[in-house]
Amino acid sequence: MIDRELLLSIIKNLETELKALDLWEATMPPAQAFESEIPFFHDTMQFHQWLQWVFIARFRAIIEGEHELPARCDIAPMAEEYFKTKALYADPVIGLLRRFDQQFSATGDAASGS
């Protein structure tokens, strides 16, 4: 069973780490940035923006609303690629995303969350 409280804790820590890296934004991207059909909205947002405005926001809503969780989550590899090109110490962010992803591979009952 996926531990929803653990997922929320990871999300809170992820927010803290993005703020520490000065990658947390006060202003939401324009509405059309959310209309992308490309994975990670790569054509309309930087990855850290997508983490904040899409990934964190959606997972928070799913978890807090007790909605069904997705069957899998593989965000860490994208984070690894993105942060390779940045002059930032992003290991904590990547580590948190790995832990998040692992929650979905640790159980065969991931989709239902029960």
Side-chain angles (χ1 to χ4, degrees):
M1 177 167 80
I2 293 177
D3 184 341
R4 289 171 178 259
E5 290 301 316
L6 177 58
L7 292 179
L8 277 176
S9 175
I10 293 169
I11 287 171
K12 288 175 188 171
N13 289 331
L14 183 57
E15 179 178 339
T16 299
E17 291 299 332
L18 289 171
K19 287 177 180 177
L21 292 171
D22 201 26
L23 295 177
W24 194 261
E25 300 179 356
T27 305
M28 184 182 292
Q32 58 267 35
F34 293 88
E35 296 172 7
S36 176
E37 294 184 17
I38 294 177
F40 307 105
F41 295 10
H42 184 71
D43 59 335
T44 60
M45 295 183 192
Q46 293 185 51
F47 181 72
H48 71 273
Q49 292 174 308
W50 178 86
L51 279 175
Q52 176 181 350
W53 299 107
V54 180
F55 179 79
I56 290 174
R58 287 185 182 171
F59 264 103
R60 202 174 255 149
I62 289 169
I63 295 165
E64 291 174 353
E66 297 185 16
H67 300 289
E68 185 173 325
L69 292 165
R72 27 183 316 215
C73 187
D74 294 309
I75 304 303
M78 181 62 188
E80 291 167 0
E81 287 301 311
Y82 174 75
F83 286 110
K84 270 188 204 178
T85 64
K86 306 294 178 202
L88 297 168
Y89 178 70
D91 288 359
V93 170
I94 294 168
L96 287 166
L97 291 170
R98 281 186 190 134
R99 284 187 62 207
F100 197 91
D101 290 350
Q102 288 168 354
Q103 292 304 302
F104 293 85
S105 62
T107 177
D109 196 22
S112 71
S114 57

